Amino acid sequence: MTENPKYVIVVAGGSGTRMGADIPKQFIEVAGLPVLMHTLNVFFQFDPTLNLILVLPENQHLVWYDLIKKHQFNLKHLIAKGGGTRFHSVLNGLNLITGSGLVAVHDGVRPLVSQHTIAQCFAQANQTGAVVPVVPINESVRQKTSKGSVAVNRADYFLVQTPQVFAVDILQKAYRQAYSDAFTDDASVVEAAGYPIALVEGNVENIKITRPFDFSIMAACLQVGTP
Amino acid sequence: MTENPKYVIVVAGGSGTRMGADIPKQFIEVAGLPVLMHTLNVFFQFDPTLNLILVLPENQHLVWYDLIKKHQFNLKHLIAKGGGTRFHSVLNGLNLITGSGLVAVHDGVRPLVSQHTIAQCFAQANQTGAVVPVVPINESVRQKTSKGSVAVNRADYFLVQTPQVFAVDILQKAYRQAYSDAFTDDASVVEAAGYPIALVEGNVENIKITRPFDFSIMAACLQVGTP
């Protein structure tokens, strides 16, 4: 089996409003390093030959260059402009890729993804072309109804994480569709284009660092390490 | 308005198997105190006149008495025997309550519930008789199907926490039903008896401490405090 070129599009679109801070949440430092640099480091650790593409709102590019200087951050990466929606941001990153291979799309604010999760996603995508990592739901679940809400069986549902990994040609074909509000993640875009989505097990630590509480979790995780 | 007597049934059924430890997870010490004592303390802080009922598997009672001695834990509480299922455990606790009032049912392994969440639940239950705290889902959601899985709109779903608070007579009437596998929490029991369930906003820290990762979160939260 020949080794496919591997890409990861790291999407960092956040403006920080949910943190109630002026600084976009992906730039907040934890253990001395911005969240986004932790995230990029995890993928470099997985495979130093992996091609890193960072999608960042244009008005944050200068801040990013300053942070690179400040932290002497020397991982080679391409930078694409953020779009008006997540869909358009991913598309801008995807447009930098030519040729075949595998492409992961990953949230910039998910620095706690494990090496095992990344490896499983790429391995499965190499077989079937489209995969997302999921974890079971650990709580009871209720669904909104016209009259209020009703209990549903939590075992019928999964929480979807990233990286979501695809064959480059599949993701490119999927992203030629017109944008829809129903596109909540890349799997939903690829699914709408007619491709089945495989599931692999994610890691529970792999949360989005978006709320103040999440930063406490992240600090705790960096102390004990992820699998 | 007269003040209703308030009860909380704290259900501690865990055997610890999910932690891969010999010690039941509710007895594992965090910041020097077993998880279960943290949980009882939170309710005492909310209202020192609240009647605490602890439901514990009978084979754990002696360990519990030893822990009480070791930690000089002097919160007054009744102890009921755990049943074969969560349903039967709650029923054993409920059987200790006579007269009217409000009763909260709470997971012993949820020590991070906030004072605000508890207060909101009791206040709403005082109005409508049946309430659960919920939080929105922060991730994409997929639902199992016969062919695999499909993306659903996460905004249509809530994660359900505890305390779930009810008028005593409503919960007693609901628990006279025959047991069903579909009873995943107290709200589902009460709903099956024909009562509508009100929702209030929970707090995101209010997770079940069941996995090693959760203990890291709990330690972090105890350092920064919950709202």
Side-chain angles (χ1 to χ4, degrees), chain A residues 3-223:
Chain A
E3 184 75 5
N4 277 317
K6 288 201 281 289
Y7 302 86
V8 58
I9 298 172
V10 173
V11 185
S15 63
T17 49
R18 262 185 293 187
M19 282 296 296
D22 289 320
I23 184 170
K25 55 193 181 303
Q26 62 265 23
F27 293 157
I28 294 178
E29 293 184 15
V30 180
L33 209 61
V35 168
L36 190 50
M37 289 184 183
H38 284 285
T39 302
L40 293 171
N41 276 339
V42 169
F43 281 90
F44 181 79
Q45 280 159 30
F46 169 67
D47 181 351
T49 72
L50 191 147
N51 300 285
L52 297 171
I53 299 170
L54 174 61
V55 186
L56 201 63
E58 196 170 10
N59 63 7
Q60 294 177 13
H61 286 198
L62 286 180
V63 181
W64 179 244
Y65 297 136
D66 283 346
L67 287 170
I68 285 176
K69 229 179 274 176
K70 173 183 172 189
H71 294 282
Q72 304 184 310
F73 184 75
N74 55 13
L75 290 198
K76 195 179 132 192
H77 59 283
L78 296 176
I79 297 184
K81 289 179 199 173
T85 68
R86 191 179 189 285
F87 177 92
H88 297 97
S89 289
V90 172
L91 187 54
N92 289 352
L94 195 53
N95 283 338
L96 297 183
I97 301 176
T98 53
S100 66
L102 294 173
V103 54
V105 184
H106 188 70
D107 297 326
V109 291
R110 287 196 196 260
L112 300 175
V113 61
S114 71
Q115 295 296 317
H116 183 72
T117 297
I118 299 174
Q120 292 286 103
C121 288
F122 273 105
Q124 178 67 39
N126 203 36
Q127 301 296 317
T128 61
V131 59
V132 297
V134 297
V135 290
I137 299 185
N138 202 19
E139 319 265 355
S140 291
V141 177
R142 296 183 71 82
Q143 183 176 12
K144 282 184 196 169
T145 65
S146 55
K147 287 187 291 183
S149 66
V150 66
V152 297
N153 185 358
R154 70 179 179 188
D156 290 342
Y157 297 88
F158 299 106
L159 299 179
V160 184
Q161 309 180 330
T162 70
Q164 304 190 350
V165 185
F166 309 93
V168 167
D169 61 330
I170 288 179
L171 195 63
Q172 285 173 333
K173 212 173 288 179
Y175 267 86
R176 277 185 216 124
Q177 297 172 99
Y179 171 70
S180 154
D181 276 346
F183 295 156
T184 58
D185 61 0
D186 304 285
S188 58
V189 180
V190 169
E191 190 164 62
Y195 297 96
I197 308 294
L199 309 181
V200 300
E201 197 180 344
N203 61 296
V204 293
E205 301 84 0
N206 184 20
I207 58 172
K208 284 194 278 189
I209 308 296
T210 56
R211 304 162 301 190
F213 172 55
D214 302 323
F215 281 82
S216 309
I217 295 176
M218 182 177 170
C221 283
L222 290 179
Q223 278 177 6

Side-chain angles (χ1 to χ4, degrees), chain B:
Chain B
M1 195 174 64
T2 59
E3 183 77 4
N4 277 316
K6 289 200 279 288
Y7 302 85
V8 58
I9 298 172
V10 173
V11 186
S15 64
T17 49
R18 262 186 291 186
M19 281 297 296
D22 289 320
I23 185 170
K25 54 193 180 305
Q26 63 264 23
F27 293 157
I28 294 177
E29 293 184 15
V30 180
L33 209 62
V35 169
L36 191 49
M37 290 185 183
H38 283 286
T39 302
L40 293 171
N41 276 339
V42 169
F43 281 90
F44 180 79
Q45 281 160 31
F46 168 66
D47 181 352
T49 71
L50 191 147
N51 301 285
L52 297 171
I53 298 171
L54 174 61
V55 186
L56 202 62
E58 196 171 9
N59 64 6
Q60 294 178 14
H61 286 199
L62 286 180
V63 182
W64 179 243
Y65 297 136
D66 284 346
L67 288 170
I68 285 175
K69 227 178 275 176
K70 174 181 171 191
H71 295 282
Q72 303 184 308
F73 185 75
N74 55 14
L75 291 198
K76 195 178 132 195
H77 60 283
L78 295 175
I79 297 184
K81 289 179 198 171
T85 68
R86 191 179 188 286
F87 177 92
H88 297 96
S89 290
V90 172
L91 187 54
N92 289 351
L94 195 53
N95 284 337
L96 297 183
I97 300 176
T98 53
S100 65
L102 295 174
V103 54
V105 185
H106 189 71
D107 296 326
V109 292
R110 287 196 197 259
L112 300 175
V113 61
S114 71
Q115 295 295 317
H116 183 71
T117 296
I118 299 174
Q120 292 286 102
C121 288
F122 272 105
Q124 178 67 38
N126 202 36
Q127 300 296 318
T128 60
V131 59
V132 298
V134 299
V135 290
I137 299 186
N138 202 20
E139 318 266 356
S140 292
V141 177
R142 296 185 70 82
Q143 183 176 12
K144 281 184 195 168
T145 64
S146 56
K147 289 187 290 183
S149 66
V150 65
V152 296
N153 185 358
R154 70 179 179 189
D156 290 340
Y157 296 87
F158 300 107
L159 300 180
V160 184
Q161 308 179 332
T162 70
Q164 304 189 350
V165 186
F166 309 93
V168 167
D169 61 329
I170 288 179
L171 195 62
Q172 285 173 334
K173 213 173 285 179
Y175 267 86
R176 278 186 214 123
Q177 298 173 98
Y179 171 71
S180 154
D181 277 346
F183 295 155
T184 58
D185 60 359
D186 304 285
S188 58
V189 179
V190 169
E191 189 164 63
Y195 297 96
I197 309 293
L199 310 181
V200 299
E201 197 180 345
N203 60 297
V204 293
E205 302 83 0
N206 183 19
I207 59 172
K208 284 193 280 189
I209 307 296
T210 55
R211 305 162 298 190
F213 172 55
D214 302 322
F215 281 82
S216 310
I217 295 175
M218 182 178 168
C221 283
L222 291 179
Q223 279 176 6
V224 299
T226 55

